[in-house]
Amino acid sequence: MISSFEGTNIYTKDTAALAAFYSEVLGIPIPFEGYGNFDGAKIGFDKKQPGIIIWDATKWEKLTTGFVNLVFGCDNLDETYEQLKAKGLDCQPPVTMEYGGKEMNFRDPDGNHITLLEGAY
């Protein structure tokens, strides 16, 4: 049976650029840079934990299907918002949600939805 969650696959036409967005703009480590020439890369906080796996759509002949929403936690979302704005990210300020946590939503360069969350769901 299923024993673990490995991560979420995203297929893109520019793996290196999308990996750079997650690592350089959002500050998420790249514990695995793929099999040469950025055929794929894992974005996450530890190679052995689940992460986002970015694959070269032109090589692997896959397309992004369905709606993808990646959710990341933050200790201080207001501070994170200011840091991301300083890096040139076009995003709206965080809002306090009905459940009491704060959220900020934007898209990566390929149009995938990203939610930054402060506080539990």
Side-chain angles (χ1 to χ4, degrees), residues 6 12 17-18 29 33 44 63 71 74 97 120:
E6 292 296 321
T12 181
L18 196 58
E33 293 185 3
L63 300 174
V71 181
C74 295
M97 304 302 288

Side-chain angles (χ1 to χ4, degrees), residues 3 12 16-18 20 24 41 49-50 56 59 63 67 70 72-75 79 85 105-107 120:
S3 62
T12 181
L18 196 58
E24 295 170 15
Q49 293 182 1
D56 183 342
K59 178 174 182 176
L63 300 174
F67 180 77
L70 306 170
F72 300 98
C74 295
D75 292 329
E79 184 178 294
K85 289 291 285 185
N105 295 283
F106 55 94
R107 294 177 185 255

Side-chain angles (χ1 to χ4, degrees), residues 23 38 55 72 104 111:
S23 70
F38 268 97
W55 296 105
F72 300 98
M104 185 174 92

Side-chain angles (χ1 to χ4, degrees), residues 1-13:
M1 294 301 295
I2 297 171
S3 62
S4 68
F5 176 68
E6 292 296 321
T8 301
N9 286 332
I10 296 178
Y11 295 90
T12 181
K13 293 179 181 173

